[in-house]
Structure formats: C-alpha cells, structure tokens
Amino acid sequence: MSDHEHNHGHVHKPAPMVEEVSDFEILEAAVRELAIEKGLFSAEDHRVWTEYVHTLGPLPAARLVAKAWLDPEYKKLCEEDGVEASKAVGVDWVTSPPTQFGTPSDYCNLRVLVDTPKLKHVVVCTLCSCYPRPILGQSPEWYRTPNYRRRLVRWPRQVLAEFGLQLPEDVEVRVADSNQKTRYIVMPERPEGTDGWTEDQLAEIVTRDCLIGVAVPKPGVTSNAQRPVRKAINPVHHDH
C-alpha cells in the first residue's frame, strides 16, 4: 500500500509542489554562503541559530503585558527598561540567543509602548522588517510587505480600519518605526470584563497582533485574524 492509499478504499492524488524561489531567498542563500566562505560564521552556527529562531513565539511578550496589567511596579519597569523587564518572562536579550551575546540586530533597545484611552500605538519597520524576535517570534508575512510598511505611516487610521480596528477620532494614533537598534512592542489597554483573571488567562488574549498594535485584546479572542497576502496586480518586475 502506498503512502497515499488508505483503508477507505481509494487513493488520494498527491498535491503538486510549488517550484518557486523568491529573489529574497536567492539573495539570502548567496550572502549566507559567502559569509561561511569568509569565515564570519560556520554552517553549524547557522544551523543552531535557525533551530533557535524556530523555537521563538509571542508568548513571552504576552506574559510581559499580562504581568504588567497586574503589577504597577512591573509596568513601570517595562516603560523604563524593556530589556530588563524581559528577564521576568524568560528572555535575556544577551544570553538567550545561542551566540550568548545577542546579535547586531536583536541585542537592542526594546521599547514597550503603553496605550491609553486616548493614545493607540502601532509598530512598523519602514526600512525592511525589523522585529523583536527574541520576545515576539517571527513576524507575520503582512508585516514585511511594502503595502503595510509604506501605507501605515501615511494613513495609519485607514490601515488599522482595514485590520478591523476602528478608532474614535479623539484617539491619537502614533506609529513607531523600528530600526536596527530599537524594537517595539505595544502594551494595549486591559479590556473590560477581565477583573479577577489570572496572569495566564490574561496572557491568552494578548495576541501577536495586539502586541504589534493592529488589534486590541478581547475576552474570548485568543488567536490572530487570518489576513492572506495577495499577489500584486502590477509587481515591480512586470513586462512593460
């Protein structure tokens, strides 16, 4: 019996593989191989780092926010020193990465942006895709698209509305632009209906999108909304 033949009497046709490598993937492989050839790091270093990155996710940042909601002193520490506050949720920006000295891009100045009833923060990287990976994991695909990066700084209220976040006119929207040394997470307001909740319960509703600032936490909502990325109608390399 083949791998695709099951006990229910018929054979499923295998789905086709997509033979596609993006320009960015080709560039990454070329730079990586050149760096290994020049001795900047080894192939083993790259393997260890890749495996470490795949263990990362948004839970530490969610726990940071939940802990701050429950502890005013810890919230104050988050505002003053995000790197130090990260240690309470198991992230040491220096020693957590396998290099034991962070990285030129990730050992940086983490800033925790605190929302208020009249101020909403949202994060972007207009230059590329800078993101606080040690505490927030991998960035979503839409975060890296030119469409999000260039439009958010021009029309933040409109872009947030497209994410389903409608804000009153009297709420100021402040866009934080990440860079090589400074990364951001958003501490949204604690939602109503969560009195008496534990830290674990609160952390469950602080989703990745809430931490970027394109969503707000709501009781009962524990996952990010699906936002597929569509191909551009007129990509930069079109034929005319």
Side-chain angles (χ1 to χ4, degrees), residues 57-215:
L59 182 57
R63 291 183 61 82
L64 180 148
V65 170
K67 186 181 292 292
W69 282 345
L70 295 172
D71 184 346
E73 286 300 316
Y74 182 69
K75 180 180 180 181
K76 184 178 179 182
L77 175 63
C78 293
E79 293 183 82
E80 295 176 349
D81 190 342
V83 172
E84 187 64 25
S86 299
K87 295 179 181 177
V89 293
V91 175
D92 188 316
W93 288 71
V94 179
T95 61
S96 291
T99 58
Q100 298 295 296
F101 57 81
T103 73
S105 61
D106 285 334
Y107 178 44
C108 57
N109 177 29
L110 176 69
R111 302 286 301 277
V112 180
L113 308 173
V114 180
D115 285 350
T116 71
K118 296 298 181 184
L119 177 60
K120 181 78 191 79
H121 294 93
V122 60
V123 180
V124 69
C125 175
T126 56
L127 181 62
C128 50
S129 57
C130 293
Y131 195 75
R133 289 180 296 170
I135 199 168
L136 199 49
Q138 299 297 327
S139 61
E141 183 179 4
W142 54 259
Y143 181 86
R144 302 187 294 271
T145 60
N147 188 44
Y148 175 78
R149 289 155 44 198
R150 67 191 177 202
R151 293 179 66 241
L152 184 68
V153 293
R154 295 174 181 169
W155 308 292
R157 195 176 294 275
Q158 176 181 330
V159 172
L160 290 178
E162 294 169 5
F163 276 85
L165 184 56
Q166 302 279 352
L167 296 173
E169 286 298 323
D170 62 347
V171 174
E172 177 187 353
V173 181
R174 192 171 295 173
V175 178
D177 191 1
S178 306
N179 57 53
Q180 184 183 15
K181 293 300 180 186
T182 302
R183 310 293 171 85
Y184 303 94
I185 60 173
V186 174
M187 182 183 295
E189 287 194 285
R190 180 175 175 173
E192 295 181 357
T194 60
D195 290 344
W197 283 29
T198 66
E199 183 179 313
D200 288 344
Q201 287 176 301
L202 292 170
E204 285 186 355
I205 63 172
V206 184
T207 65
R208 176 203 65 201
D209 286 2
C210 295
L211 294 157
I212 297 174
V214 298

